[in-house]
Amino acid sequence: MVEKTNEQEEQLKKLRAEVKNYRSIIENLNGVAYSMTCLGVFTYLSPQIEQFGYDSQSLIGTSWGKLLVADDKEKALSDLEELLDGKEPPRRYRLITKKGEHRLIEDHGTLVRDSYGKPIAVSGSFVDVTEQVRLIDELKQREQRFKELAEALPEIVYEMDSKGVITFVNNQGLATTGYNRADVERGF
């Protein structure tokens, strides 16, 4: 029987502490950390998947595509092929929650390679950006309504940034000052 030396015991303790630390980091992320095969089959999902109504253990061995809206599955397969070719930009998909709701997620995946450079897995994380995108769209709509209202006013209406550069002038302002849209876009 081989006994462990004190040095081996100490290395084992350090390794266990590191694993515990990494697990704590992963489990405290806002997003869902994952690992999957190069074919898109989950091998790990962090507990944050519960925000979508799923149990992480029940999805191990499940294809990534089964969580996505049908229209996004082909895109996800194409994106997986691009990832295997080394392209790793963030991607967006619509995920179906266990209750059947659609949530927009932003996925940041990266290819894991073995010591010979051969792809062996994909790991990454995804976050729910549904509310963020909704708020941005709402802000754009309000900005458009502001501009439409400003254009309808007979008075000069302008907008200036924090540096004093005029970023918007309504038609009345342009007509009065003699400037044009190109002048505004250049920032005067």
Side-chain angles (χ1 to χ4, degrees):
M1 181 174 217
V2 178
E3 286 189 36
K4 293 181 184 175
T5 65
N6 285 340
E7 185 178 322
Q8 288 172 325
E9 282 291 332
E10 191 60 36
Q11 287 176 344
L12 191 56
K13 279 183 184 179
K14 285 181 182 178
L15 183 59
R16 284 183 181 140
E18 284 183 32
V19 168
K20 184 177 179 180
N21 184 44
Y22 287 127
R23 179 170 282 134
S24 175
I25 290 169
I26 293 292
E27 291 178 357
N28 285 298
L29 291 173
N30 285 332
V32 177
Y34 68 85
S35 181
M36 67 174 83
T37 68
C38 292
L39 297 175
V41 176
F42 287 118
T43 56
Y44 172 81
L45 281 156
S46 66
Q48 290 85 340
I49 192 68
E50 292 171 5
Q51 67 185 296
F52 300 105
Y54 298 105
D55 171 59
S56 60
Q57 291 303 312
S58 68
L59 293 176
I60 302 302
T62 302
S63 171
W64 163 238
K66 288 188 178 184
L67 296 180
L68 302 179
V69 171
D71 293 346
D72 289 358
K73 289 179 184 183
E74 188 174 318
K75 179 183 182 310
L77 285 173
S78 172
D79 288 347
L80 185 57
E81 288 176 19
E82 283 186 10
L83 186 62
L84 292 170
D85 288 336
K87 299 174 187 168
E88 298 182 355
R91 296 167 167 92
R92 289 190 174 176
Y93 307 105
R94 291 167 293 161
L95 182 140
I96 305 169
T97 68
K98 194 159 187 172
K99 291 181 179 179
E101 300 168 339
H102 294 186
R103 305 296 295 176
L104 185 63
I105 59 167
E106 186 167 277
D107 175 42
H108 297 263
T110 188
L111 197 57
V112 179
R113 297 178 183 274
D114 66 14
S115 59
Y116 301 104
K118 180 183 172 191
I120 57 171
V122 175
S123 66
S125 65
F126 58 86
V127 294
D128 186 342
V129 294
T130 307
E131 188 64 15
Q132 176 186 356
V133 169
R134 186 191 66 75
L135 290 172
I136 289 170
D137 288 346
E138 186 178 306
L139 183 61
K140 286 178 183 177
Q141 289 173 2
R142 287 182 181 192
E143 185 176 300
Q144 183 60 35
R145 280 195 304 255
F146 161 77
K147 287 182 178 180
E148 289 170 1
L149 286 170
E151 291 297 351
L153 293 172
E155 294 88 17
I156 296 174
V157 177
Y158 66 94
E159 183 177 54
M160 186 181 302
D161 68 15
S162 61
K163 296 177 184 173
V165 176
I166 295 176
T167 58
F168 171 80
V169 178
N170 69 348
N171 288 332
Q172 181 64 37
L174 294 175
T176 303
T177 63
Y179 288 108
N180 60 43
R181 292 271 172 231
D183 296 325
V184 175
E185 290 171 10
R186 282 193 300 274
F188 61 93

